[in-house]
Amino acid sequence: MAQSLYFTFVLSCLICGSYGLVSSGTTTVRSVDYNATTVTPIERRDSTTKPSTTQSNKSTNAPAVRLTSTTTSKVLTTTTRPPKTTTTANYSFNTEDLNEGIDKKVEKRVWNKEPEDEPLEFAKWSTRSVKAVKKPKKIWKKVKKPKVLPKKRKPKVVKKSKPKIIGRPSLPECPPLGLESLRVKDPQLRASSYKRRGLGPHRGRLNIQSGIEDGDIYDGAWCAQYEDKKQWLEVDARRPTRFTGVILQGRSSIWSWDFILTYKVQFSNDTLVWQPAMNGTKEAVFEGNQDTETPVLALFNESATVARYIRINPQSWYENGTICLRAEVLGYPNNIYAWQQTEQGTKDKLDFRHHNYKEMRKLMKSVTEACPDITHIYSIGKSHMGLKMYVMEISDHPGKHELGEPEFRYVAGMHGNEALGRELLLNLMQYICQEYKLGNQRIVRLVKETRIHLLPSMNPDGYEMAFKKGSELAGWALGRYSYQGIDMNHNFADLNKVMWDAIEFDFQNNDKSKLINHYIPIPEYYTSEDAFVALETRAVINWMQNIPFVLSANLHGGELVVTYPFDRTEDWAPHDDTPTPDNSFFRWLATVYASTNQVMSNPDRRPCHNENFQRYNNIINGANWHTVQGSMNDFSYLHTNCFDVTVELSCDKFPHASELPIEWENNKESLLIYMEQVHRGLKGVIRDKDTEAGIADAIIKVDDIDHHIRSVADGDYWRLLNPGEYEVTVSAEGYNPSTRMCRVMYEHYPTICDFRLTKTPKQRLKEILAKGGKLPKDLQLRLRQLRLRKLRASTKAINSRLPGKRPPTSPPTAARFSANEESCAAVGKMHSTCSKNIGKMYFSKFIV
């Protein structure tokens, strides 16, 4: 019965998980209280488990967020200009002082809370999470009390030390061999038998994900062909290794429910003679899993664990399932054979370890102290639990926007358990600081020409969940979601639907001239009090709206591929190529990162899970992989000027600290060269021809690319484009449009393409009359030409309505206007009073 209910739940997820309800109709701007949102759990794609509790979105630390709202599809088809932005020329947030301590309430809430206060998804340590074999009594003789202590306190000391040694081991001392990270190659894995190729020993890797179809070659575990106690999965370490433990997991499948209940472990140096893991004088039997997803750790005694080969031998399994498992083996080369170790990693002297919230603050503080002239730390808001979302800004003039200098951002940790991106950005901060001080010309140029913003942890609550369990025990989904159970990669406003509804409306009415294809406003349903929007998402949206970002990438984990918009299919198909108007440039951006990443560009690498992205050159349209409603990439492209892609950094979401130097070296060049792409294309300043003042909100249109951008408060703009020649048209309210040809070259520097716009006669007349000024002669001539044109049109209309009657030469009002003009002209020059009267008469009678 339980299995049947599980299948029903999973099938419902597949059918309904991607669909959302979207309100329609005319809306208006209004203020919203963001502190009273009621949260309901949402469906998730990667896991079959989900907390069933409903939690409040109420937080005393909710950031003040500006989410603009206006009419949706109907307005988009009837408005010729997008709504004005309210961004200011300041483009900055208040500096954060990391010398200040963490709020005591937050400290207690995050790190000292009682087990019952924790959400269901990461509730208290299970007694099964770290299961160690009971050690012989003699091992406790090592735990001795100092002689200076009273004898009566001796039992207390021994009692406290016991769980510290056995119950909660320190995982950094037990690094993984690398089944999950693929350092252990497929030929190193053998099995007694397997059902089919997709369930072979090479699939018995911790956290490996299965394909959707049953029988897929990319299934989610090793499964034995026979159901008996003689089956085994073998790992070849290829050198003598001191094995310290095994982590076991069930099968990843939406169709089957398989996991191991108990198992034994054996060691060998030649695969002929096997030595079992012992529990005192008996062969040890280890406790396995109770579900398919939760990783369970077992530790070995120190004796007789040095070997080359290790076997996992299942003894019992789920009664309605079969023998299936995913595993990771912990161990390190035996010290006796240290000469066999190969040096791997990087020459960069950076802090390679996983940093929790407190340690991240310390590291960011140390970078600002080392490079105070080019760094600035600010916060864009707080998480549900009250943890600040810190951003490191790096620029030669930190804290302010410079005219013509593009704004770039990296975002990591949207999914809290995808920890590699977080550490890469912390490494990047240190690296830029060090290299700038050393005079590295590439880094110096990047800092002086770009304003860089690094957000290492968008979901700090989720990261703290995963960090508590550690890199191997967090599993595939723990910490992915916010504390409230929200997947923030599905949590941004779905502007794709608004755009496609507007396009369909215009197609039906055969009019595409009035469609807004950029800066699509946020629908009101998204800004309402009961909107299912995380505080972290709102903070990021506010950040986007206040800083004119040009280029961005958000760093994820669990795959090796770069995806680009759109991320959602138009017809809700599971996947379908859905390109943007800037598809060629997005493909360029994705290729730049993928082709310089040392792992992605390796032609001999194997697929991570169930997709072989090498056939796409390691880049793919997001919607062609799987449709995602409300992604950051799509929102960024449709609501701001910014181009955004997603980088899946590694097969292992939460790599062990020992693997971080290698991962840094794999991604260092990619991170740098991707930032440099912000200088590709066009840039310039749009100014008023008469006053030389910058014009904000001017629309920049590139011929044949149906996506416009806008100038920012100072009139500067950046248009990312591939090399080529483009016809660019700039228009702004109250100004005559201007068009010119601009050629983008292959050099690192962008092509400068400035524009100077002249005001329309109507706008000039408005401004002059508002100031009570005198009409210049060119405007008088222009007004007279328009008046004569209007008179001819009105005369023609009268003649058409009154056949046979000769109409008067001009209407009475026109005659009076003409007489006044001629009387003023007779003076020899236009008197200010006369010109003002003529202007008022013209403005009231002839301007349409």
Side-chain angles (χ1 to χ4, degrees):
M1 181 65 180
Q3 189 174 11
S4 176
L5 290 174
Y6 170 74
F7 291 154
T8 304
F9 170 74
V10 171
L11 290 175
S12 301
C13 294
L14 290 176
I15 297 172
C16 307
S18 300
Y19 290 81
L21 297 177
V22 179
S23 302
S24 59
T26 304
T27 62
T28 56
V29 181
R30 63 190 182 93
S31 61
V32 178
D33 177 12
Y34 294 119
N35 299 328
T37 304
T38 301
V39 178
T40 315
I42 58 174
E43 210 60 65
R44 32 188 209 179
R45 177 179 178 269
D46 305 76
S47 175
T48 57
T49 60
K50 183 76 184 97
S52 59
T53 56
T54 301
Q55 301 198 25
S56 173
N57 193 29
K58 188 174 183 179
S59 173
T60 57
N61 299 311
V65 179
R66 175 180 54 81
L67 297 182
T68 57
S69 171
T70 184
T71 52
T72 54
S73 59
K74 184 175 181 180
V75 168
L76 294 182
T77 57
T78 58
T79 306
T80 57
R81 301 279 183 206
K84 291 252 185 179
T85 60
T86 57
T87 56
T88 64
N90 190 21
Y91 301 136
S92 64
F93 290 77
N94 294 331
T95 302
E96 287 289 332
D97 182 8
L98 295 185
N99 290 315
E100 294 180 356
I102 301 172
D103 184 90
K104 292 183 179 179
K105 293 182 180 179
V106 175
E107 180 95 24
K108 184 176 180 180
R109 188 160 56 238
V110 177
W111 293 285
N112 298 323
K113 53 186 175 298
E114 296 298 326
E116 58 267 20
D117 293 333
E118 298 186 4
L120 181 64
E121 188 179 14
F122 64 107
K124 55 188 177 181
W125 271 77
S126 169
T127 56
R128 301 179 53 262
S129 294
V130 180
K131 190 71 178 180
V133 179
K134 190 174 182 180
K135 296 188 177 183
K137 291 184 179 180
K138 64 178 183 178
I139 202 168
W140 295 109
K141 293 180 180 180
K142 297 180 181 179
V143 183
K144 295 182 178 181
K145 199 68 182 173
K147 295 180 180 180
V148 295
L149 295 178
K151 293 182 179 180
K152 62 181 180 179
R153 298 180 61 185
K154 187 174 181 180
K156 294 183 179 179
V157 175
V158 175
K159 186 177 180 180
K160 289 182 179 179
S161 64
K162 186 173 181 179
K164 183 177 181 180
I165 295 175
I166 294 183
R168 297 280 295 269
S170 177
L171 284 181
E173 297 178 1
C174 311
L177 261 63
L179 275 73
E180 182 179 10
S181 65
L182 303 183
R183 280 193 300 167
V184 173
K185 307 302 180 184
D186 287 352
Q188 294 176 249
L189 299 175
R190 295 175 59 237
S192 54
S193 64
Y194 55 90
K195 285 190 173 183
R196 57 176 179 268
R197 172 64 179 166
L199 295 172
H202 66 293
R203 303 298 293 177
R205 301 173 181 271
L206 190 71
N207 287 321
I208 204 163
Q209 301 297 295
S210 66
I212 295 177
E213 297 180 5
D214 193 22
D216 194 286
I217 62 171
Y218 299 116
D219 257 315
W222 161 68
C223 290
Q225 183 178 4
Y226 309 106
E227 293 187 14
D228 58 50
K229 296 183 180 181
K230 298 180 181 181
Q231 304 306 308
W232 46 260
L233 175 68
E234 179 183 295
V235 181
D236 179 5
R238 288 188 172 172
R239 56 183 173 180
T241 300
R242 183 173 295 277
F243 296 110
T244 59
V246 167
I247 300 174
L248 226 61
Q249 213 175 18
R251 177 182 177 183
S252 171
S253 173
I254 61 174
W255 310 107
S256 303
W257 187 262
D258 303 307
F259 53 86
I260 301 302
L261 295 174
T262 59
Y263 62 99
K264 295 180 179 180
V265 176
Q266 295 95 31
F267 310 99
S268 175
N269 285 305
D270 55 10
T271 70
L272 299 176
V273 178
W274 291 90
Q275 175 73 30
M278 302 298 291
N279 181 17
T281 59
K282 299 180 179 180
E283 186 174 0
V285 178
F286 298 92
E287 186 177 353
N289 304 97
Q290 294 296 318
D291 59 49
T292 60
E293 290 297 325
T294 306
V296 176
L297 168 65
L299 297 180
F300 307 141
N301 290 333
E302 295 182 3
S303 60
T305 60
V306 177
R308 173 175 171 174
Y309 302 93
I310 183 173
R311 278 183 179 177
I312 301 171
N313 175 212
Q315 296 297 298
S316 62
W317 44 93
Y318 178 58
E319 60 181 355
N320 293 326
T322 187
I323 299 177
C324 294
L325 64 86
R326 294 175 285 170
E328 181 62 87
V329 176
L330 307 181
Y332 46 87
N334 189 28
N335 293 334
I336 299 174
Y337 304 95
W339 58 271
Q340 294 182 350
Q341 298 184 37
T342 57
E343 293 294 332
Q344 291 183 348
T346 178
K347 295 180 180 179
D348 297 325
K349 297 180 179 180
L350 307 175
D351 188 6
F352 293 113
R353 60 192 174 98
H354 288 291
H355 299 78
N356 65 6
Y357 180 77
K358 296 178 181 179
E359 293 165 343
M360 181 185 74
R361 281 168 45 98
K362 292 179 182 178
L363 186 145
M364 295 178 74
K365 180 176 178 289
S366 68
V367 173
T368 57
E369 290 174 346
C371 297
D373 296 335
I374 63 169
T375 58
H376 167 226
I377 294 179
Y378 62 92
S379 170
I380 62 172
K382 295 182 181 180
S383 69
H384 179 81
M385 295 295 290
L387 301 180
K388 291 185 178 181
M389 301 166 66
Y390 290 112
V391 176
M392 170 75 77
E393 178 195 335
I394 303 177
S395 171
D396 58 337
H397 293 89
K400 65 178 182 179
H401 172 76
E402 295 181 75
L403 187 70
E405 185 172 289
E407 309 264 358
F408 177 91
R409 73 168 182 259
Y410 271 131
V411 176
M414 173 184 286
H415 295 146
N417 65 332
E418 295 170 10
L420 178 57
R422 175 191 181 105
E423 297 308 322
L424 287 179
L425 293 193
L426 295 178
N427 293 152
L428 185 61
M429 297 173 192
Q430 302 171 73
Y431 179 80
I432 292 177
C433 175
Q434 293 176 8
E435 295 300 306
Y436 184 85
K437 293 172 69 176
L438 293 173
N440 182 326
Q441 288 304 303
R442 182 185 189 185
I443 300 302
V444 170
R445 183 178 63 184
L446 189 62
V447 171
K448 289 186 175 181
E449 295 177 354
T450 317
R451 191 181 180 203
I452 303 167
H453 305 258
L454 306 177
L455 172 61
S457 186
M458 181 178 167
N459 182 6
D461 295 349
Y463 178 81
E464 292 301 317
M465 302 178 199
F467 182 82
K468 287 180 181 180
K469 283 296 184 76
S471 60
E472 322 317 322
L473 298 179
W476 186 253
L478 178 62
R480 171 185 174 90
Y481 305 89
S482 71
Y483 189 94
Q484 303 159 276
I486 299 175
D487 186 341
M488 285 181 270
N489 198 38
H490 298 249
N491 198 226
F492 289 81
D494 183 11
L495 302 183
N496 303 64
K497 174 177 173 54
V498 178
M499 176 187 65
W500 287 324
D501 286 351
I503 292 174
E504 183 178 359
F505 180 88
D506 275 341
F507 179 79
Q508 294 173 355
N509 291 273
N510 197 26
D511 180 14
K512 291 188 177 182
S513 62
K514 298 179 181 179
L515 174 66
I516 296 176
N517 62 10
H518 69 300
Y519 275 66
I520 297 177
I522 299 176
E524 188 180 357
Y525 77 86
Y526 188 85
T527 63
S528 64
E529 295 180 4
D530 58 348
F532 190 53
V533 184
L535 296 177
E536 297 88 344
T537 308
R538 289 172 173 150
V540 170
I541 292 176
N542 182 51
W543 187 37
M544 291 178 175
Q545 292 174 331
N546 280 279
I547 295 181
F549 293 111
V550 179
L551 180 62
S552 172
N554 63 93
L555 308 181
H556 288 242
E559 261 297 351
L560 277 166
V561 68
V562 183
T563 72
Y564 51 90
F566 287 121
D567 288 335
R568 185 199 142 176
T569 56
E570 186 172 356
D571 57 358
W572 288 107
H575 56 86
D576 185 32
D577 189 39
T578 313
T580 67
D582 286 285
N583 190 59
S584 61
F585 191 78
F586 272 117
R587 288 182 59 84
W588 165 260
L589 290 173
T591 301
V592 163
Y593 198 102
S595 63
T596 54
N597 182 280
Q598 293 186 12
V599 180
M600 291 186 197
S601 59
N602 182 2
D604 298 324
R605 76 172 181 89
R606 69 172 295 247
C608 290
H609 299 284
N610 50 49
E611 294 277 358
N612 184 4
F613 291 109
Q614 285 186 292
R615 56 180 176 170
Y616 306 118
N617 295 319
N618 303 300
I619 69 171
I620 192 171
N621 172 259
N624 203 24
W625 181 15
H626 60 275
T627 186
V628 174
Q629 177 187 5
S631 75
M632 179 190 283
N633 290 354
D634 291 1
F635 179 87
S636 182
Y637 181 70
L638 295 174
H639 187 64
T640 73
N641 287 339
C642 187
F643 287 35
D644 205 342
V645 303
T646 293
V647 181
E648 299 284 348
L649 294 164
S650 66
C651 300
D652 187 351
K653 286 186 174 185
F654 203 139
H656 192 268
S658 62
E659 298 169 339
L660 294 178
I662 302 172
E663 294 292 357
W664 164 251
E665 201 62 31
N666 290 339
N667 289 276
K668 178 174 69 174
E669 177 61 24
S670 304
L671 292 168
L672 294 175
I673 199 170
Y674 184 82
M675 282 195 288
E676 292 171 341
Q677 303 313 303
V678 76
H679 298 284
R680 183 174 294 277
L682 302 176
K683 81 170 187 177
V685 182
I686 301 169
R687 293 186 171 93
D688 186 300
K689 186 176 182 180
D690 298 326
T691 65
E692 291 295 315
I695 302 175
D697 293 312
I699 299 175
I700 297 92
K701 305 176 182 179
V702 178
D703 191 34
D704 296 330
I705 300 180
D706 191 24
H707 180 77
H708 311 329
I709 64 167
R710 288 195 283 179
S711 62
V712 297
D714 296 326
D716 46 347
Y717 77 94
W718 304 263
R719 184 53 166 101
L720 299 179
L721 292 166
N722 283 325
E725 192 168 15
Y726 301 92
E727 182 182 284
V728 182
T729 301
V730 173
S731 59
E733 186 174 353
Y735 291 87
N736 293 313
S738 177
T739 301
R740 58 176 295 190
M741 299 299 295
C742 302
R743 176 173 293 179
V744 177
M745 308 301 289
Y746 287 88
E747 285 78 6
H748 165 76
Y749 295 98
T751 299
I752 297 177
C753 197
D754 295 330
F755 289 83
R756 283 172 170 77
L757 304 184
T758 59
K759 291 186 177 71
T760 61
K762 178 179 178 180
Q763 181 66 22
R764 292 176 65 193
L765 181 60
K766 283 183 178 180
E767 294 178 1
I768 292 172
L769 294 177
K771 295 178 181 179
K774 177 182 176 181
L775 294 178
K777 291 183 179 180
D778 65 320
L779 184 55
Q780 295 173 22
L781 180 60
R782 177 64 175 164
L783 293 177
R784 183 170 183 175
Q785 291 174 346
L786 291 174
R787 178 182 61 82
L788 293 175
R789 188 183 305 165
K790 185 73 174 180
L791 288 173
R792 294 191 190 98
S794 61
T795 301
K796 185 176 180 181
I798 292 172
N799 287 336
S800 63
R801 288 194 297 268
L802 301 173
K805 293 185 179 181
R806 187 172 182 176
T809 304
S810 61
T813 54
R816 290 197 301 270
F817 182 83
S818 180
N820 289 335
E821 184 179 10
E822 291 172 0
S823 63
C824 287
V827 180
K829 61 180 180 178
M830 294 298 294
H831 190 273
S832 61
T833 303
C834 290
S835 61
K836 190 182 298 183
N837 291 336
I838 292 172
K840 289 181 178 179
M841 186 179 297
Y842 173 83
F843 187 74
S844 62
K845 298 293 183 182
F846 296 100
I847 291 182
V848 177

